Amino acid sequence: MRWREICGIAIMLCTFGSVAQAQSPYGIGRPATSAEIAGWNIDIGRDGSNLPNGSGSVSRGREVFAQQCASCHGDKGEGGLGDRLAGGQGTIGTARPIRTVGSYWPYAPTLFDYIRRAMPQNAPQSLSDDDVYAVSAYVLNLNGLVGADATLDAKSLAAVKMPNRDRFVGDARPDVKK
């Protein structure tokens, strides 16, 4: 080999070797920044902890739902390409349960969390917090859990008692943390 090629290879190995060592034992990645972590730290507790400021009405939710959700979930949450969202009350204990927000979900704040994090499917996290409150209000209204004139915010959403809240059974295995 020529002297220049040998020196070039040696310099590349030293450069990439030191970079890899600084990054991780595998030579890839880096620690996440505080800003990156904050961008994904958006979970909402079942008790409503971490719900953001804002509010949304059933009527506004009807509009947003028609624009962003109905193409998959149907005009009234009856399902289609996406899951059925409304109805099914009283079917959970039957041979053919219909699992919807109103029949199956135990906590209303988790509806906000799911909509904000994952919907609409083609543009997750694109709805404003006010629009997520509004869509949550509309879906809860479709299930008869809030009135047509309801406006939800952090306090009122956390106060909604879902019909299936007390029907979930804990996992009694000793290796499962509660």
Side-chain angles (χ1 to χ4, degrees), residues 6-7 10 18 31 41 44 64 73 77-78 81 115 140 143 148 153-154 157-158 165:
I6 294 172
C7 288
S18 64
N41 189 16
I44 305 299
V64 176
H73 295 288
E78 67 274 10
L81 294 173
I115 293 169
L140 291 172
N143 283 282
D153 59 14
L157 181 62
R165 177 182 282 185

Side-chain angles (χ1 to χ4, degrees), residues 76-136:
K76 301 278 187 198
E78 67 274 10
L81 294 173
D83 290 338
R84 181 174 175 178
L85 302 176
Q89 285 83 348
T91 66
I92 296 300
T94 68
R96 300 194 75 183
I98 299 171
R99 292 186 178 107
T100 67
V101 170
S103 70
Y104 186 69
W105 285 41
Y107 303 101
T110 60
L111 175 62
F112 181 98
D113 182 82
Y114 184 76
I115 293 169
R116 179 168 76 166
R117 186 181 302 277
M119 294 292 132
Q121 190 175 26
N122 65 340
Q125 297 185 28
S126 64
L127 299 176
S128 70
D129 290 340
D130 288 339
D131 284 347
V132 176
Y133 276 117
V135 171
S136 298

Side-chain angles (χ1 to χ4, degrees), residues 27-62:
I28 58 172
R30 62 171 174 71
T33 67
S34 297
E36 290 168 335
I37 292 170
W40 284 98
N41 189 16
I42 60 171
D43 60 313
I44 305 299
R46 65 184 186 185
D47 61 353
S49 57
N50 296 327
L51 278 166
N53 292 327
S55 65
S57 67
V58 171
S59 60
R60 173 68 183 147
R62 185 178 298 111

